[in-house]
Amino acid sequence: HLSTSDEVREAAAAEARAGRGGRNQVLMSLVQNGMQEKALRKLFYDETGITDPEAKKKAFYRARDWATGQGLIEVAEGVVIDLRRQK
C-alpha cells in the first residue's frame, strides 16, 4: 500500500521505466507549459488511440484530474500550467 504522494510518484516512475506508464504518464508526457487544454486533449486522444468517444473523454478527464490532484498541472481559463518545474 502506498501512503504518501512521494511513494505514489516513485511507483508511477518505476512503472513508466518498465514500460507501463499508463494514461496518466501519457498525459504528462504531452504537457507543455502554456498550451491550450483543447490542444492537450486532442494530442491525448491521438496518442492513446481510443476510438469510443465517451471512453476517450473519460480517460482524458481521469488523467487530468489525477495530474491536478497530484499538483503536477493546473488548468486556468483553458490554459495548462505545468507545475513540475516549480517544485
Side-chain angles (χ1 to χ4, degrees), residues 21-38:
R23 293 178 181 152
N24 295 341
Q25 296 307 313
V26 169
L27 179 81
M28 292 310 300
S29 72
L30 299 171
V31 167
Q32 295 177 20
N33 194 42
M35 75 186 308
Q36 293 293 313
E37 182 184 19
K38 182 178 179 179

Side-chain angles (χ1 to χ4, degrees), residues 11-78:
E15 288 295 297
R17 285 191 299 274
R20 299 183 298 265
R23 293 178 181 152
N24 295 341
Q25 296 307 313
V26 169
L27 179 81
M28 292 310 300
S29 72
L30 299 171
V31 167
Q32 295 177 20
N33 194 42
M35 75 186 308
Q36 293 293 313
E37 182 184 19
K38 182 178 179 179
L40 176 61
R41 189 169 52 245
K42 182 177 181 342
L43 288 171
F44 181 84
Y45 291 167
D46 293 344
E47 190 71 24
T48 57
I50 302 168
T51 56
D52 179 80
E54 189 64 26
K56 67 183 176 182
K57 182 178 176 182
K58 285 183 180 181
F60 174 77
Y61 284 102
R62 284 182 184 141
R64 188 193 74 165
D65 290 348
W66 170 83
T68 56
Q70 293 293 313
L72 301 173
I73 66 168
E74 192 174 301
V75 180
E77 296 182 17

